[in-house]
């Protein structure tokens, strides 16, 4: 119940929805590096992160890997294949000790029929994700790297409700589709300006105002 209530769109669906889904779900604990899902396989459930972090990635036939934004507490994955019955889009693994709530597909679908508010909230969520993805794609082709770096840092900070981002520079470069050297150069500039502080595996935002100005938001 606590984990599902932490999901904004589920909470907005009402207590009856949360209680019904919680009754049908179970909690699973993960160790660092444990595989949660594999791209191309079928799924029979929705995953809600109760604690910790999950890393989503894709690898092409040539072995090149792309990592998307890590998911933290209150975020979900597997929504699209759960709704359309298709295969999973990403490989997913735990980064550090984590826990997830596994919500069966049948429970989601039956609750959508019984509680239309859940269906509406899921539609709104898909619209929000689509808008965000369009902005990301536009940024990849239209914005200079230093702006893309700043926007990603702000996005990660917002999604995890923290000014400290637990992410390596290599992973950040992977998410941006840029070289580690070029991303490191931009991060060092931001550090010298006092906007961020860099440590091993961590980036802390010190001056959000400065980053917002650079991002143009």
């Amino acid at each position: 119940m606590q984990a599902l209530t932490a999901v904004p769109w589920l909470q907005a669906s009402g207590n009856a929805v949360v209680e019904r889904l919680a009754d049908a779900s179970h909690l699973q604990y993960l160790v660092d590096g444990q595989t949660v899902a594999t791209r191309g396989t079928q799924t029979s459930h929705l995953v809600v992160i109760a604690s910790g972090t999950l890393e989503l990635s894709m690898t092409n036939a040539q072995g090149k890997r792309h990592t998307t934004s890590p998911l933290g507490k209150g975020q979900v994955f597997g929504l699209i294949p759960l709704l359309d019955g298709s295969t999973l889009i990403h490989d997913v693994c735990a980064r550090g000790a984590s826990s997830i709530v596994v919500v069966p597909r049948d429970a989601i679908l039956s609750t959508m029929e019984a509680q239309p508010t859940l269906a509406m909230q899921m539609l709104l969520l898909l619209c929000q994700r689509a808008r965000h993805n369009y902005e990301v794609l536009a940024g990849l082709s239209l914005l200079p790297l230093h702006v893309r770096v700043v926007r990603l840092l702000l996005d990660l900070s917002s999604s995890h409700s923290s000014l400290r981002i637990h992410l390596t520079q290599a992973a950040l470069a992977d998410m941006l589709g840029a070289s580690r050297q070029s991303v490191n150069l931009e991060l060092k500039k931001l550090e010298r300006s006092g906007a961020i502080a860099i440590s091993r595996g961590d980036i802390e935002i010190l001056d959000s105002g400065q980053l917002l100005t650079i991002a143009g938001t």
Side-chain angles (χ1 to χ4, degrees):
M1 278 291 294
Q2 290 177 347
L4 296 184
T5 302
V7 182
W9 59 272
L10 279 179
Q11 187 180 47
S13 300
N15 290 334
V17 167
V18 176
E19 290 175 3
R20 180 168 176 158
L21 294 180
D23 286 342
S25 306
H26 69 271
L27 191 65
Q28 180 179 345
Y29 294 95
L30 309 170
V31 298
D32 183 34
Q34 182 174 341
T35 298
V36 180
T38 304
R39 172 176 166 81
T41 59
Q42 295 290 143
T43 183
S44 60
H45 53 261
L46 182 74
V47 168
V48 179
I49 294 86
S51 65
T53 303
L54 297 187
E55 180 183 271
L56 279 62
S57 65
M58 299 172 67
T59 304
N60 65 14
Q62 290 72 43
K64 185 175 182 179
R65 186 168 179 266
H66 172 69
T67 305
T68 65
S69 299
L71 300 181
K73 181 180 178 180
Q75 294 181 293
V76 303
F77 85 86
L79 184 58
I80 292 177
L82 178 136
L83 291 175
D84 66 11
S86 61
T87 58
L88 288 164
I89 303 170
H90 300 100
D91 295 315
V92 185
C93 68
R95 283 292 169 249
S98 307
S99 61
I100 58 175
V101 177
V102 180
V103 188
R105 182 173 190 263
D106 290 345
I108 292 282
L109 297 181
S110 63
T111 304
M112 288 173 65
E113 293 180 359
Q115 302 284 345
T117 54
L118 175 60
M120 180 57 68
Q121 288 300 319
M122 294 176 83
L123 283 173
L124 291 173
L125 175 65
L126 289 172
C127 289
Q128 292 169 0
R129 288 186 171 184
R131 285 180 178 275
H132 178 266
N133 289 337
Y134 289 147
E135 291 179 359
V136 171
L137 288 173
L140 288 174
S141 60
L142 300 175
L143 297 174
L145 181 58
H146 74 280
V147 176
R148 289 161 52 200
V149 169
V150 167
R151 287 195 173 192
L152 181 55
L153 291 177
L154 289 171
D155 187 40
L156 291 171
S157 174
S158 175
S159 63
H160 292 274
S161 302
S162 173
L163 294 177
R164 184 177 292 276
I165 302 165
H166 302 292
L167 196 70
T168 65
Q169 293 183 39
L172 193 67
D174 188 19
M175 293 167 63
L176 289 163
S179 69
R180 186 184 184 282
Q181 292 78 8
S182 59
V183 171
N184 177 262
L185 182 63
E186 299 300 337
L187 291 174
K188 289 296 184 183
K189 290 178 182 177
L190 292 171
E191 186 174 44
R192 287 195 296 270
S193 72
I196 65 172
I198 304 172
S199 58
R200 187 176 180 83
D202 282 321
I203 300 172
E204 183 179 4
I205 295 177
L206 303 178
D207 189 344
S208 299
Q210 185 181 160
L211 295 185
L212 289 169
T213 298
I214 297 171
T217 58

